[in-house]
Amino acid sequence: MGDPVANYTSRLQQQEGEVMLLQDEIESLRDPQELNFTSSQLDELREENSRLKYRIDILKRSLQEEMSQNDKAMLNINQHLQQIFGDAINTAYPGIENPPLTVTPNQQAKFGDYQCNSAMAMAQMMKAKGQKVSPREIAEKIVQYIPNNELIERTEIAGPGFINVHLKRTFVSKLLSNLLVNGVKPPSLKKKKKVVVDFSSPNIAKEMHVGHLRSTIIGDSMCRLFEFLGYEVLRLNHVGDWGTQFGMLIAHLQDKFPNYLSVSPPIGDLQSFYKESKKRFDEDEEFKRRAYQCVVKLQSKEPDFIKAWNLICDVSRKEFQKVYNCLDICIEERGESYYQDMMTAVIKEFEEKGLVQLDEGRKIVFAPGQSIPLTIVKSDGGYTYDTSDLAAIKNRLFDEKADIIIYVTDSGQAMHFQVVFAAAQLIGWYDPKVIRVEHAGFGVVLGEDKKKFKTRSGDTVRLMDLLEEGLKRSMDKLKEKGRDKVLTPEELVKAQRAVAFGCIKYADLSHNRINDYVFSFDKMLDDRGNTAAYLLYAFTRIRSIARLANIQVVSLRTAAETTEVLLDHEKEWKLGKCILRFPEILQKITDDLLLHTLCDYLYELATTFTEFYDSCYCVEKDRQTGEVVKVNMWRMLLCEATAAVMAKGFDILGINPVERM
């Protein structure tokens, strides 16, 4: 994604230059007596003069509108610094092609706020070309070409060539005021791109289990991130709703509920229904024969069989929706059946381009650099997962016109998607330099014994059982803390759901998705450390500060517009900078799709706030009476800014905090 600040700055400079040229032109037309023009020429020049003035007014309005629009967005300080240092490096060393640019927040306050480490890498590049220049000398030259700007107070060169950057406190204060007045707004996009996220994807006739938990939670959070940043997002549920298993399910339905066409069958437990049909399929040859006949009739779209298929799918959808309601998931179902009619055309296209090989009756496609082929037609003429995934990716590229496509499945499918993507590139459906297609894989959920998460009997854990257990444990935790004594019944239920589902989501998202993670209710409900329970309680405490001091919302809004956010105390300064790192955190996640970075940031923000609150009085009270004697409003504004960023972070993670807990 391009740098909105750099793009805006470039357009701003271009338009300002044009305004100056036009003004010079107008000035040259002000004294017609010296130009010896005829009357008709003079009229033409006056007309041109009017047009130029009109253009200047339009340009000035355009500049003001663009400045107003960008002023409301949060500034990505890191990106802005990269632009400044990038320009300085290119000016100081124009002969170096694609010079390395590294700007990071400083870990130790004594060394400044940010650090540019480009000089060392540049020295290596120059050495490879026979130019021996010390990194420190390079750093000194870069610093010489840093233009005056509103962001950097001063720079220092440390060690072999680190450039330490100290930010201007007045500018940071201004950015915080902007956040408080306008809210947490993302930088405006240069182009509104379309993102398709394929996630959750359970199988019809099977209950959602703990294995679907990660895809559902991670995929939803990615969608929320892209939606917040202003992208058009299509959330797709690629359910397993087609295939040979439906033959045995329909045959079993016909036997068990022969009047299913006129009376809706009471299938209460679809999992048991599936197991019964599978047992018959494995043991009864006559039943197996009928099941295959049912598949043929379903694929031929005979009405009675389509109705049976829809009945089975509807039972599953209702069960899936219970999970989605608990986890607050919005998703559009487009199962394998959606792509059935597209598959023939896909196979024909591969054949016409000479990309299909025959292998013992199968039709296969080998993509460059891939060791295994895709089977697009089986030896019996049937289609495969490979076929439906090729049809799906083509639909998303050409019909949906996606700029970004993300598949959120377990890492075990990484090789499959690698081959599908390679085949899509081979046939010319997309260029990876233009369209981003990515598999966001994740590890498995483990039990506390570090083995695959199972019930005591060894079965896969049903997702609804897990969520219900979470509700029970969160209520126990709230009662243990005595919250049932101070909250109304309605507030208690809200807090119960916020803690239960928030903790389950956060426990997943706070781990690097690539790794396996251990599922533990005890750890996720612990209100110490980097857990949702800790963050939710911290958020509630921050929100209560103004309420307990009887400071009205309208007073805080007025203060945001009129009160300077002072950052003189070291803890105020540390908190202010931490709040403003939010846009660069989101940019990093947009690039690598690793959501644990946001969890780590929210935990850092909460602990930094605690340091600030312990050291800086926001509200001063009379020790005897407990009455409020002084409100340090700029510090209250820091509380509000912290809460605003935390709330938006929670929203991206799909966590719903409550005001009272």
Side-chain angles (χ1 to χ4, degrees), residues 169-202:
R169 298 197 178 213
T170 52
F171 187 66
V172 171
S173 173
K174 182 180 164 188
L175 293 178
L176 289 165
S177 294
N178 173 61
L179 184 157
L180 288 157
V181 170
N182 297 307
V184 183
K185 298 273 171 53
S188 55
L189 294 171
K190 187 178 180 182
K191 180 196 170 194
K192 186 170 183 175
K193 295 184 176 181
K194 184 168 186 178
V195 183
V196 173
V197 184
D198 177 327
F199 69 103
S200 192
S201 308

Side-chain angles (χ1 to χ4, degrees), residues 12 21 205 211 266 293 552 563 624 659:
L12 183 68
L21 286 171
Q293 287 175 345
Q552 302 301 312
T563 304
Q624 306 263 322
E659 292 291 325

Side-chain angles (χ1 to χ4, degrees), residues 277-424:
S277 65
K278 183 72 170 70
K279 187 172 187 293
R280 292 183 69 191
F281 184 84
D282 291 339
E283 297 174 359
D284 185 340
E285 284 300 319
E286 173 58 22
F287 180 81
K288 182 183 285 190
R289 186 187 61 77
R290 279 181 51 224
Y292 281 129
Q293 287 175 345
C294 289
V295 172
V296 173
K297 290 179 179 180
L298 175 63
Q299 290 176 341
S300 301
K301 298 189 177 175
E302 290 190 18
D304 289 359
F305 290 84
I306 289 292
K307 180 166 186 180
W309 172 72
N310 275 322
L311 283 169
I312 293 165
C313 289
D314 285 343
V315 174
S316 275
R317 286 187 190 109
K318 287 174 186 172
E319 292 303 310
F320 297 162
Q321 198 56 48
K322 290 177 186 176
V323 172
Y324 295 146
N325 289 343
C326 286
L327 297 176
D328 193 20
I329 306 293
C330 293
I331 193 166
E332 180 178 330
E333 183 184 312
R334 282 196 196 169
E336 292 167 27
S337 61
Y338 182 86
Y339 305 100
Q340 288 301 303
D341 294 340
M342 306 174 195
M343 294 188 197
T344 304
V346 166
I347 294 160
K348 186 179 178 184
E349 186 176 349
F350 273 92
E351 287 178 329
E352 286 175 348
K353 293 191 177 179
L355 300 174
V356 176
Q357 298 177 29
L358 286 173
D359 178 59
E360 296 180 353
R362 296 183 305 152
K363 290 182 180 180
I364 63 172
V365 174
F366 270 102
Q370 305 303 317
S371 57
I372 58 171
L374 293 174
T375 298
I376 59 172
V377 180
K378 295 186 292 185
S379 56
D380 63 3
Y383 299 148
T384 67
Y385 289 125
D386 296 348
T387 330
S388 62
D389 280 336
L390 284 171
I393 196 171
K394 186 181 182 186
N395 171 259
R396 293 161 187 183
L397 289 165
F398 291 96
D399 297 337
E400 296 300 341
K401 295 179 171 54
D403 300 289
I404 301 170
I405 306 174
I406 299 166
Y407 293 79
V408 186
T409 74
D410 66 88
S411 296
Q413 297 187 53
M415 178 61 74
H416 166 71
F417 282 111
Q418 185 178 312
V419 181
V420 170
F421 300 162

Side-chain angles (χ1 to χ4, degrees), residues 133-328:
V133 187
S134 73
R136 193 173 182 90
E137 189 179 332
I138 293 171
E140 286 168 353
K141 192 171 181 182
I142 292 170
V143 167
Q144 287 173 14
Y145 284 94
I146 294 176
N148 287 332
N149 61 84
E150 59 185 351
L151 186 55
I152 298 175
E153 177 73 42
R154 69 181 193 280
T155 57
E156 297 165 346
I157 298 170
F162 301 113
I163 304 173
N164 291 328
V165 178
H166 296 261
L167 301 178
K168 287 182 180 175
R169 298 197 178 213
T170 52
F171 187 66
V172 171
S173 173
K174 182 180 164 188
L175 293 178
L176 289 165
S177 294
N178 173 61
L179 184 157
L180 288 157
V181 170
N182 297 307
V184 183
K185 298 273 171 53
S188 55
L189 294 171
K190 187 178 180 182
K191 180 196 170 194
K192 186 170 183 175
K193 295 184 176 181
K194 184 168 186 178
V195 183
V196 173
V197 184
D198 177 327
F199 69 103
S200 192
S201 308
N203 290 311
I204 295 291
K206 292 184 181 179
E207 289 191 87
M208 290 181 75
H209 56 77
V210 72
H212 296 112
L213 182 68
R214 299 206 75 183
S215 178
T216 305
I217 290 172
I218 294 168
D220 175 61
S221 188
M222 286 180 185
C223 291
R224 288 169 179 270
L225 171 64
F226 282 108
E227 285 161 353
F228 171 66
L229 294 174
Y231 292 81
E232 180 188 352
V233 179
L234 178 60
R235 301 153 159 260
L236 290 184
N237 198 359
H238 191 82
V239 298
D241 66 351
W242 203 253
T244 53
Q245 75 272 26
F246 282 93
M248 66 183 192
L249 289 165
I250 292 171
H252 190 53
L253 180 72
Q254 290 172 334
D255 292 346
K256 195 163 185 178
F257 304 103
N259 60 344
Y260 74 92
L261 289 171
S262 54
V263 180
S264 184
I267 305 174
D269 187 349
L270 196 56
Q271 187 79 357
S272 297
F273 187 85
Y274 180 89
K275 286 180 179 177
E276 288 168 12
S277 65
K278 183 72 170 70
K279 187 172 187 293
R280 292 183 69 191
F281 184 84
D282 291 339
E283 297 174 359
D284 185 340
E285 284 300 319
E286 173 58 22
F287 180 81
K288 182 183 285 190
R289 186 187 61 77
R290 279 181 51 224
Y292 281 129
Q293 287 175 345
C294 289
V295 172
V296 173
K297 290 179 179 180
L298 175 63
Q299 290 176 341
S300 301
K301 298 189 177 175
E302 290 190 18
D304 289 359
F305 290 84
I306 289 292
K307 180 166 186 180
W309 172 72
N310 275 322
L311 283 169
I312 293 165
C313 289
D314 285 343
V315 174
S316 275
R317 286 187 190 109
K318 287 174 186 172
E319 292 303 310
F320 297 162
Q321 198 56 48
K322 290 177 186 176
V323 172
Y324 295 146
N325 289 343
C326 286
L327 297 176
D328 193 20

